[in-house]
Amino acid sequence: MTFSYLHIIPYFKVLVWYNYTMKKQANATGWGKVSRWYEKTVQDEKSTQQEVILPSLVPIFKNLVKDKVVLDLGCGTGFFIHTLLMSGAKKVVAVDLDSELLNVVKQKYQNTDKVEIIQADAEKLEGVATGSVDMIL
């Protein structure tokens, strides 16, 4: 049986949609208030994120992000940042509307210059210069 990345693409699209949708609603729903709980949950080795999502996306990331500046739009607590960097991304620009979610990202990546953190609305992207990124997640 030959492995095909095509079967993963629908899951990837759902993740992008979910990430974008949740971030648009972040302030309205209070998502930031559960940011610490969410971060702990997704880092659990037995979580769906760890057992299904990351193993499926790592091969795709390795082929797509090498030496690229990646905009993680609606980054939340930065779940994908580590994987993007380990897959060879030159830099990750983490954008989210919710300051509490971004505080988690700041704590995790305060000692690296490979992560730029910007608080902005995904529809306006203020603070992200045109042409400054190679791809958007």
Side-chain angles (χ1 to χ4, degrees), residues 109-130:
Y109 297 101
Q110 63 186 340
N111 295 324
T112 181
D113 59 351
K114 291 188 171 201
V115 178
E116 179 182 352
I117 299 167
I118 299 174
Q119 183 174 4
D121 186 320
E123 293 178 358
K124 298 177 186 167
L125 286 181
E126 296 164 345
V128 179
T130 301

Side-chain angles (χ1 to χ4, degrees), residues 26-111:
N27 287 348
T29 64
W31 187 245
K33 293 180 177 154
V34 295
S35 60
R36 305 274 177 218
W37 166 83
Y38 177 75
E39 178 63 14
K40 183 178 177 184
T41 300
V42 299
Q43 295 304 325
D44 184 322
E45 290 178 9
K46 297 195 184 299
S47 70
T48 301
Q49 290 84 351
Q50 296 295 330
E51 288 187 339
V52 178
I53 296 171
L54 283 183
S56 299
L57 292 178
V58 165
I60 295 171
F61 283 172
K62 285 186 178 186
N63 292 325
L64 291 177
V65 305
K66 187 161 178 57
D67 299 322
K68 302 245 188 312
V69 176
V70 181
L71 174 65
D72 187 353
L73 185 61
C75 67
T77 60
F79 177 70
F80 292 113
I81 294 173
H82 177 75
T83 304
L84 289 166
L85 292 173
M86 293 297 102
S87 297
K90 185 186 330 182
K91 180 179 181 180
V92 176
V93 179
V95 176
D96 203 290
L97 183 60
D98 193 292
S99 62
E100 291 179 70
L101 295 172
L102 288 175
N103 283 338
V104 175
V105 178
K106 287 176 187 173
Q107 288 176 352
K108 287 167 53 176
Y109 297 101
Q110 63 186 340
N111 295 324

